Amino acid sequence: MSLNKLNLLYRAVVLDHAQHPHHKGEISQVTQKVTLHNPSCGDDIQVFICVAQNQISEISFEGQGCTISQASASMMTDVLQGNSVSQALSQCEAFFALTMGKAIAENQKEALGDAAVLGSLAEFPMRIKCATLAWHAAKMALEGTLK
Amino acid sequence: MSLNKLNLLYRAVVLDHAQHPHHKGEISQVTQKVTLHNPSCGDDIQVFICVAQNQISEISFEGQGCTISQASASMMTDVLQGNSVSQALSQCEAFFALTMGKAIAENQKEALGDAAVLGSLAEFPMRIKCATLAWHAAKMALEGTLK
Amino acid sequence: MTIKRETLRKDFPILDRKVNEEPLLYLDNAATLQTPNQVLKKITEFYQKSHANVHRGVYTLAQEATQAYEQVREQVAAFIHAANAHEIVYTRSTTESLNLVASSFGELVVQEGDEILLTIMEHHSNLIPWQQLAKRKKAILKYVPLTVDQTLDVHAFKQQLTEKTKIVALAQTSNVLGVTNPVKKLVELAHQQHAYVVVDAAQTVAHHALDVQDLNVDFLAFSGHKMGAPTGIGVLYGKSELLKAMPPIQFGGEMIENVTKTTATWQPAPWKFEAGTPNIGGVIGLGAAIDYLNHLEMSWIAATEKKLMMHLLPELQKIEGLTIYGPQTVERHEGIVTFNLAHIHPHDVATGLDMLGVEVRAGHHCAQPLMAALGVESTVRASLSFYNSIAEMDRFVYALKMVKEFFNHESE
Amino acid sequence: MTIKRETLRKDFPILDRKVNEEPLLYLDNAATLQTPNQVLKKITEFYQKSHANVHRGVYTLAQEATQAYEQVREQVAAFIHAANAHEIVYTRSTTESLNLVASSFGELVVQEGDEILLTIMEHHSNLIPWQQLAKRKKAILKYVPLTVDQTLDVHAFKQQLTEKTKIVALAQTSNVLGVTNPVKKLVELAHQQHAYVVVDAAQTVAHHALDVQDLNVDFLAFSGHKMGAPTGIGVLYGKSELLKAMPPIQFGGEMIENVTKTTATWQPAPWKFEAGTPNIGGVIGLGAAIDYLNHLEMSWIAATEKKLMMHLLPELQKIEGLTIYGPQTVERHEGIVTFNLAHIHPHDVATGLDMLGVEVRAGHHCAQPLMAALGVESTVRASLSFYNSIAEMDRFVYALKMVKEFFNHESE
Ligand SMILES: Cc1ncc(COP(=O)(O)O)c(C=O)c1O
Ligand SMILES: Cc1ncc(COP(=O)(O)O)c(C=O)c1O
């Protein structure tokens, strides 16, 4: 028996984000918020953003979930904070592509910061939902600012 | 190829009854009539009886059907005519048993007259419905006289 | 998968069996097609290697099973040229597919006084669901009749279509007459009146390539068992936006998104229609059957069956006292020929043929209103498939003549 | 059929496969049981020798298929001790069986203001159909809660039963807690109030002998795939007079007696509920699965599973931070144990175990209201079967400890 492959998925950085999530809790000024539900485990993730002049001034999340979903949400807030809405949206798409095992450009990968380690999720297809939940919520929130 | 087995089922007597059915057409005095339908071919059989003092004074049938159902109806009218209701009912039961391949007493078999040749139907289970349709109608009609 | 057209009969061991001491000659292919070994093998392998429930586990085995299950959906979509795999709903059968459309979509769009247009040649499965819906809704059921040559009366179809027509339900190919209706044209006419078109392709799918986008049908139903898959798996194709609007009619299992004591929300289509553990093995078999047909090529299948019919139909037409229903031309018979022999009941014909190893259907073929329109109670139907041979056609004609002689001779 | 208890694992080749380079340890038997070779062989043989559509042909092949199909009905009746084979309706699954009762029988007997009594431990499949029925009918849905030891509160059950209760729907065995409810006693109480009882036996049928007459249930549902048959075949048992009163809800094919353009009449039960070509191969497989279980003997199966649980449960209870849901005694766990590890999400536990070849379920197990009552979002469930071994129980416990260590260690 071996947990080598598990190590691949749950690298130290992932476990660290899950244990000590960044930007967890509601922010004071919220322009958009979206709650998404993962029907397979029953977990909810809520994403809060504050957008001014097409720029994400603040972003945070709330809710329970597994290591993957907590870590992914935490990493996401690090990555998206301060970016423009369109930049953030393309980062979401890059993340979805990455977790599905699709090839993405090296600079796109870099732009995903810590979250790029979740690329190994392509080998754990049943967990992709866990990792992408927060990103889907963010995407919906960001799209909401465009209307 | 051979039609030997077919000969077994369609003996001369069967084909004869089908071509020249006895007691076909409505009788003048009817105390009970029952129509039954064979859903698998769409054929109908109607049985008419006239019962007085628990005796079948007259019986006839009407309707379209295959060789087996026409012959069986014709044979049935020959067999049941003149009998008491209870005797006729037990003849119906004997006929059902015979076509299902169950053993019946020799005297019961004799009492079925020509219809006894349909015993070979046990080898043609999909055709039992054809053969028993008229008998089921007769049974229902006879039971109607008991009420 | 290895298939050779020359030796494909070997893929169907049942064709080697005997019936009443005669070699089986299976001519009830319209009822159910025989299942090739490749399909059976694939199913067995699935159960021996990857069987798990779908959409429920995060573990590897469940993932493999789910992936296999969803890949077949892509395959089905490609096979009938659907725009999107999410337009493919797995059901038990054509019958369940059509009932689903009637109970869910029909219930949604049909109101009192609306019209539902059927054809008189519908199989009960594409008739009773609409009849019962019309009864519930106080809607009006109309039937397109036949022309004198016993094909669909397209002129009458046009006349019966009105702005009140909400649904047109029709067979692509009649399981009795063997004729294929001009679906594309009929859909165009129906859409001009803003009616939705539901097509029963049960008798088409194993014989001709289908293109639901070209036909522009709104719904299309078929059964796996009529195309070499096992029994118990069927398909409903529906346009995305229509499936989206439809409520589910069975509840429970993985079709559910969220449940409280008093409320529930559903997954998106197609999953919201797949309540409970689905027929996973059946789906795997359906995928293998599509592979099988694709390897043979649908155009080859159609051409092969046409050759058989070109041989058979004229021979049947030569038999005195034999009446063929539907058109009298080979071109209009899609592998199916239905007939009667004068003075011999169809059941007697079928029993006679059975004694000679020839398996044909006798009865009303689940199309009683059509039987009434043809003026008969029942008929004999022979339906062929790509694994039948010219020699078998000859044997069938010979057997039919023997049976005819038997009954005619004996009853003189 | 040859089965040896000593070597029965050989009947399940999937148990020899590897998952993530580790030997498969399948502990999701409650989701679906693996299928023995004997069942697969029987199905393949059927397709290779006797496959034809049922109830439709007068020819030999159709007769053989029909006979096989109807003989399994007798076998199912005997297996659950039904009075009569006509009380056995073939469906796709437990879910479809329960939906059929709710849509047909429920629709018939439940009126506005009536009460439907469920338990809080129901699987969504025995919950949403009633919830939706209650919504349509403006009936009142009530839930029997759990006691403090997380079993059914029989006292509350009595109190919640009233003369307004028309239907009681309950699981015989919970797919989460693993507890078997005292069905016989609950039926007695319900019948005193003239309520009908619908039992979901999905988690009982492969583990204990069933006697529907002794239990005196009105309806009982189960799935073939949870007892070694393939997916796509399920059973609804119903008392004769109740089935007789129920209208069919799917239409077409051989469930029909007579059809005109505007009317239709149905065959008697059970056939009126079996519209279209049924899952004939699935039925054949169900018969073979019953043979398999009967050869093993239900009493041996129950005893074997009990032994495994006697070994497993105390070991799990020793793991620090592990919470077991449901009762804490071996006697009350019917092959199922559901738990959580402190501070580790169930999905992470399941992924960790999967890396070690151990397949367990994580999630809400289609029982969200029960999860809410237990105060959790999701849990891990291990469910065993007669083919599991004591060594596997040890390996599972060891793997669980490794996973626990992995997450606890890494996060320090
Ligand atoms: C034209 C047509 N429609 C529907 C059906 C019903 O198919 P199934 O029995 O597979 O539901 C059939 C086959 O019997 C058919 O030929
Ligand atoms: C208690 C219970 N009821 C119902 C079901 C549903 O069974 P199926 O998915 O076979 O319809 C299951 C299994 O998932 C179950 O465990």
Side-chain angles (χ1 to χ4, degrees):
Chain A
M1 298 195 208
S2 106
L3 287 171
N4 291 347
K5 207 171 157 196
L6 204 58
N7 268 318
L8 199 77
L9 177 63
Y10 296 95
R11 288 167 207 239
V13 53
V14 173
L15 291 166
D16 191 56
H17 268 282
Q19 289 296 316
H20 312 288
H22 308 174
H23 310 102
K24 189 160 179 181
E26 189 164 348
I27 49 183
S28 51
Q29 273 215 319
V30 175
T31 58
Q32 307 283 334
K33 78 175 176 197
V34 168
T35 305
L36 279 184
H37 177 74
N38 183 349
S40 85
C41 52
D43 293 335
D44 285 319
I45 287 269
Q46 219 171 356
V47 168
F48 309 92
I49 58 173
C50 177
V51 166
Q53 287 155 327
N54 271 322
Q55 204 81 17
I56 303 173
S57 61
E58 248 190 311
I59 179 165
S60 74
F61 79 102
E62 194 45 277
Q64 290 311 307
C66 61
T67 304
I68 306 290
S69 80
Q70 293 288 303
S72 183
S74 167
M75 291 161 166
M76 179 189 76
T77 55
D78 283 357
V79 170
L80 300 189
Q81 178 129 332
N83 292 355
S84 73
V85 169
S86 65
Q87 201 180 351
L89 279 169
S90 79
Q91 284 169 309
C92 289
E93 293 306 330
F95 184 75
F96 298 144
L98 186 75
T99 53
M100 307 257 296
K102 293 185 189 145
I104 65 171
E106 205 46 51
N107 63 334
Q108 282 185 308
K109 205 163 175 177
E110 256 165 45
L112 288 178
D114 279 1
V117 307
L118 289 174
S120 58
L121 264 173
E123 290 202 42
F124 298 81
M126 301 309 257
R127 303 301 301 276
I128 293 175
K129 266 190 212 163
C130 306
T132 53
L133 200 62
W135 298 74
H136 279 295
K139 185 183 164 199
M140 288 170 72
L142 290 167
E143 285 170 347
T145 68
L146 299 177
K147 278 175 195 150
Chain B
M1 298 194 208
S2 106
L3 287 171
N4 291 347
K5 207 172 157 196
L6 203 58
N7 268 318
L8 199 75
L9 177 63
Y10 296 96
R11 289 168 207 238
V13 54
V14 173
L15 291 166
D16 192 56
H17 268 281
Q19 290 294 318
H20 313 287
H22 307 174
H23 311 101
K24 189 159 178 181
E26 189 165 349
I27 50 182
S28 52
Q29 272 215 321
V30 176
T31 58
Q32 307 283 332
K33 78 175 177 197
V34 168
T35 305
L36 278 185
H37 176 75
N38 183 349
S40 86
C41 52
D43 295 335
D44 285 317
I45 287 270
Q46 218 171 357
V47 168
F48 309 93
I49 57 174
C50 177
V51 166
Q53 286 155 330
N54 271 322
Q55 203 82 16
I56 302 173
S57 61
E58 249 191 310
I59 179 165
S60 75
F61 79 101
E62 194 46 277
Q64 291 310 307
C66 61
T67 304
I68 305 290
S69 80
Q70 292 287 303
S72 183
S74 168
M75 292 162 165
M76 178 190 78
T77 56
D78 283 357
V79 170
L80 300 188
Q81 178 129 328
N83 292 355
S84 74
V85 169
S86 66
Q87 200 179 352
L89 279 170
S90 79
Q91 283 169 309
C92 288
E93 293 306 332
F95 185 75
F96 299 145
L98 185 75
T99 53
M100 307 257 297
K102 294 186 190 147
I104 65 171
E106 206 45 51
N107 62 334
Q108 281 185 307
K109 204 163 177 177
E110 256 164 46
L112 287 179
D114 279 0
V117 307
L118 289 174
S120 58
L121 265 172
E123 290 202 41
F124 298 81
M126 301 309 257
R127 303 302 300 277
I128 293 175
K129 265 190 209 161
C130 306
T132 52
L133 201 62
W135 298 73
H136 279 295
K139 186 184 164 199
M140 287 170 71
L142 291 166
E143 284 170 349
T145 69
L146 298 177
K147 276 175 195 149
Chain C
M1 190 174 295
T2 57
I3 305 172
K4 288 212 187 106
R5 287 177 185 168
E6 307 72 44
T7 56
L8 67 81
R9 279 182 74 94
K10 288 214 173 65
D11 299 338
F12 301 86
I14 196 171
L15 300 178
D16 286 334
R17 72 163 267 176
K18 297 213 161 189
V19 157
N20 293 310
E21 288 140 62
E22 303 289 339
L24 169 66
L25 171 39
Y26 184 68
L27 290 178
D28 198 14
N29 292 291
T32 195
L33 196 70
Q34 294 301 337
T35 317
N37 277 341
Q38 286 88 337
V39 169
L40 300 172
K41 204 171 146 213
K42 188 82 182 268
I43 296 171
T44 295
E45 272 174 18
F46 174 77
Y47 279 106
Q48 291 183 337
K49 286 185 187 157
S50 312
H51 177 53
N53 214 321
V54 291
H55 294 303
R56 295 191 180 182
V58 297
Y59 57 85
T60 303
L61 208 58
Q63 160 61 13
E64 285 180 18
T66 303
Q67 210 163 343
Y69 181 79
E70 292 299 332
Q71 261 167 9
V72 173
R73 214 189 288 276
E74 310 267 352
Q75 233 187 314
V76 174
F79 189 65
I80 62 168
H81 294 91
N84 192 314
H86 297 175
E87 298 180 319
I88 305 300
V89 181
Y90 294 131
T91 64
R92 174 175 31 244
S93 60
T94 306
T95 301
E96 187 173 54
S97 298
L98 295 166
N99 275 277
L100 174 55
V101 184
S103 311
S104 173
F105 187 74
E107 200 65 47
L108 207 62
V109 301
V110 174
Q111 308 296 334
E112 184 169 344
D114 284 346
E115 294 174 3
I116 300 171
L117 186 57
L118 308 182
T119 87
I120 195 68
M121 64 174 83
E122 294 315 305
H123 187 280
H124 293 164
S125 296
N126 202 23
L127 192 160
I128 325 274
W130 305 112
Q131 187 191 79
Q132 298 297 310
L133 176 70
K135 218 165 125 183
R136 285 196 302 274
K137 292 287 188 170
K138 302 205 173 84
I140 297 145
L141 205 62
K142 289 162 76 176
Y143 289 88
V144 183
L146 301 182
T147 58
V148 282
D149 71 336
Q150 299 183 333
T151 64
L152 189 73
D153 188 338
V154 177
H155 186 70
F157 180 91
K158 274 187 224 170
Q159 287 185 320
Q160 285 184 311
L161 259 180
T162 74
E163 55 190 14
K164 282 186 163 178
T165 312
K166 280 287 156 60
I167 285 176
V168 173
L170 82 158
Q172 185 159 10
T173 307
S174 159
N175 68 316
V176 174
L177 307 171
V179 293
T180 293
N181 294 315
V183 169
K184 189 172 174 175
K185 182 172 161 192
L186 302 176
V187 169
E188 239 180 79
L189 293 168
H191 282 174
Q192 280 165 17
Q193 296 285 7
H194 306 291
Y196 297 97
V197 184
V198 183
V199 170
D200 170 0
Q203 292 301 341
T204 320
V205 67
H207 305 287
H208 264 117
L210 279 185
D211 187 330
V212 290
Q213 291 185 80
D214 179 53
L215 295 174
N216 200 16
V217 297
D218 298 298
F219 295 97
L220 183 134
F222 58 91
S223 296
H225 73 92
K226 294 193 196 279
M227 54 192 284
T231 43
I233 182 70
V235 166
L236 175 65
Y237 159 82
K239 284 184 179 165
S240 285
E241 70 272 21
L242 303 180
L243 291 182
K244 194 172 168 190
M246 284 161 62
I249 51 172
Q250 291 190 8
F251 311 96
E254 289 302 306
M255 55 75 68
I256 281 153
E257 189 190 55
N258 221 358
V259 184
T260 68
K261 284 188 191 179
T262 52
T263 63
T265 54
W266 323 127
Q267 299 278 9
W271 302 283
K272 72 176 164 188
F273 300 111
E274 296 173 6
T277 302
N279 186 350
I280 308 168
V283 167
I284 302 303
L286 179 62
I290 290 176
D291 281 342
Y292 192 87
L293 296 180
N294 278 338
H295 273 78
L296 288 181
E297 294 180 25
M298 293 310 292
S299 56
W300 178 83
I301 290 173
T304 302
E305 293 173 354
K306 191 55 71 193
K307 261 186 234 158
L308 294 172
M309 190 54 82
M310 278 173 71
H311 190 82
L312 175 61
L313 203 72
E315 290 298 320
L316 291 179
Q317 284 166 329
K318 281 187 215 153
I319 297 177
E320 211 181 314
L322 189 146
T323 305
I324 290 172
Y325 301 99
Q328 301 301 313
T329 54
V330 171
E331 296 70 41
R332 304 298 313 271
H333 279 273
E334 196 84 77
I336 290 172
V337 53
T338 294
F339 60 91
N340 265 328
L341 279 169
H343 312 305
I344 314 181
H345 191 281
H347 269 36
D348 293 323
V349 175
T351 295
L353 289 171
D354 184 35
M355 290 306 113
L356 299 169
V358 181
E359 311 292 59
V360 298
R361 172 65 54 91
H364 52 60
H365 316 293
C366 299
Q368 289 184 24
L370 175 57
M371 292 295 119
L374 297 174
V376 292
E377 292 293 344
S378 60
T379 57
V380 183
R381 179 185 73 185
S383 55
L384 44 85
S385 177
F386 55 81
Y387 46 59
N388 291 120
S389 66
I390 297 277
E392 283 184 327
M393 299 302 106
D394 287 336
R395 190 182 140 203
F396 166 47
V397 171
Y398 183 69
L400 202 55
K401 287 177 182 166
M402 277 181 77
V403 167
K404 182 186 160 197
E405 224 169 82
F406 177 88
F407 284 102
N408 286 348
H409 171 78
E410 295 286 333
S411 62
E412 262 161 17
Chain D
M1 190 175 292
T2 57
I3 305 171
K4 288 211 189 108
R5 286 178 186 168
E6 306 73 45
T7 56
L8 66 81
R9 279 181 74 95
K10 288 214 172 66
D11 300 337
F12 302 85
I14 196 171
L15 300 178
D16 286 335
R17 71 163 267 176
K18 296 213 160 187
V19 157
N20 293 310
E21 289 140 62
E22 303 289 340
L24 169 66
L25 171 39
Y26 185 68
L27 290 178
D28 198 15
N29 293 291
T32 195
L33 196 69
Q34 295 300 337
T35 318
N37 277 341
Q38 287 86 338
V39 169
L40 300 173
K41 203 171 146 214
K42 189 83 182 267
I43 296 171
T44 296
E45 273 175 17
F46 173 77
Y47 279 106
Q48 292 182 336
K49 286 186 189 157
S50 313
H51 176 52
N53 215 320
V54 291
H55 295 302
R56 296 192 178 181
V58 297
Y59 58 83
T60 302
L61 208 58
Q63 158 62 11
E64 284 180 19
T66 304
Q67 209 164 343
Y69 181 79
E70 292 299 332
Q71 259 167 11
V72 173
R73 214 188 288 276
E74 310 267 350
Q75 233 186 314
V76 174
F79 189 64
I80 62 167
H81 293 92
N84 192 314
H86 298 174
E87 298 179 321
I88 304 300
V89 182
Y90 293 131
T91 64
R92 174 176 29 244
S93 59
T94 306
T95 301
E96 186 172 55
S97 298
L98 295 166
N99 274 277
L100 173 56
V101 183
S103 312
S104 172
F105 187 73
E107 200 65 46
L108 206 64
V109 301
V110 174
Q111 309 296 335
E112 183 168 343
D114 284 347
E115 294 175 2
I116 300 172
L117 187 56
L118 309 181
T119 86
I120 195 67
M121 64 174 84
E122 294 314 306
H123 188 280
H124 293 164
S125 296
N126 202 23
L127 193 159
I128 325 273
W130 306 112
Q131 187 191 80
Q132 298 298 310
L133 176 70
K135 218 164 124 183
R136 285 196 302 275
K137 293 285 189 171
K138 302 204 172 85
I140 297 144
L141 205 62
K142 289 163 74 175
Y143 290 88
V144 182
L146 301 182
T147 58
V148 283
D149 71 336
Q150 300 182 331
T151 63
L152 189 74
D153 189 337
V154 177
H155 186 68
F157 180 91
K158 272 186 226 172
Q159 287 184 319
Q160 286 184 309
L161 259 180
T162 74
E163 56 190 13
K164 282 187 163 179
T165 312
K166 281 288 157 60
I167 285 176
V168 173
L170 81 157
Q172 185 159 11
T173 307
S174 159
N175 67 316
V176 174
L177 306 171
V179 293
T180 294
N181 294 314
V183 169
K184 188 172 175 175
K185 183 172 162 191
L186 301 176
V187 169
E188 240 180 79
L189 292 167
H191 283 173
Q192 280 164 18
Q193 296 285 7
H194 306 290
Y196 297 98
V197 184
V198 183
V199 170
D200 170 358
Q203 293 300 342
T204 319
V205 66
H207 306 286
H208 263 117
L210 279 185
D211 186 330
V212 290
Q213 290 185 79
D214 179 53
L215 295 174
N216 200 15
V217 296
D218 298 298
F219 296 97
L220 183 133
F222 58 93
S223 297
H225 73 92
K226 294 193 197 277
M227 54 193 284
T231 43
I233 182 71
V235 167
L236 174 65
Y237 159 83
K239 284 184 179 165
S240 284
E241 70 273 21
L242 303 181
L243 291 182
K244 194 172 167 189
M246 283 161 62
I249 51 173
Q250 291 190 9
F251 310 98
E254 290 302 306
M255 54 76 68
I256 281 152
E257 190 190 53
N258 221 357
V259 184
T260 69
K261 285 188 191 178
T262 52
T263 63
T265 55
W266 323 127
Q267 300 277 10
W271 301 283
K272 71 176 164 187
F273 301 112
E274 296 173 7
T277 302
N279 187 351
I280 307 168
V283 167
I284 301 303
L286 179 61
I290 291 177
D291 281 343
Y292 191 88
L293 296 180
N294 279 339
H295 273 78
L296 288 180
E297 293 179 24
M298 293 309 293
S299 56
W300 178 83
I301 290 173
T304 302
E305 293 173 356
K306 191 55 71 194
K307 260 186 236 159
L308 294 172
M309 191 54 81
M310 279 173 70
H311 190 82
L312 175 61
L313 203 72
E315 289 299 320
L316 291 179
Q317 284 165 330
K318 281 186 216 153
I319 297 177
E320 210 180 316
L322 189 147
T323 306
I324 290 171
Y325 301 99
Q328 301 300 313
T329 54
V330 172
E331 296 69 41
R332 304 299 312 273
H333 280 273
E334 196 85 77
I336 290 171
V337 53
T338 294
F339 60 92
N340 266 328
L341 279 170
H343 312 306
I344 314 182
H345 192 280
H347 269 34
D348 293 323
V349 175
T351 294
L353 288 172
D354 183 36
M355 291 304 113
L356 299 169
V358 181
E359 311 293 59
V360 299
R361 172 64 52 92
H364 52 60
H365 317 293
C366 299
Q368 289 183 24
L370 175 59
M371 292 296 119
L374 296 174
V376 291
E377 293 293 345
S378 60
T379 58
V380 183
R381 179 186 74 184
S383 54
L384 45 86
S385 176
F386 55 81
Y387 47 59
N388 291 119
S389 67
I390 296 278
E392 284 184 327
M393 299 301 106
D394 287 336
R395 189 181 141 203
F396 166 47
V397 171
Y398 182 69
L400 202 55
K401 288 177 181 164
M402 278 181 76
V403 168
K404 182 186 158 195
E405 225 168 84
F406 176 88
F407 284 102
N408 286 348
H409 170 77
E410 295 286 333
S411 62
E412 260 160 19

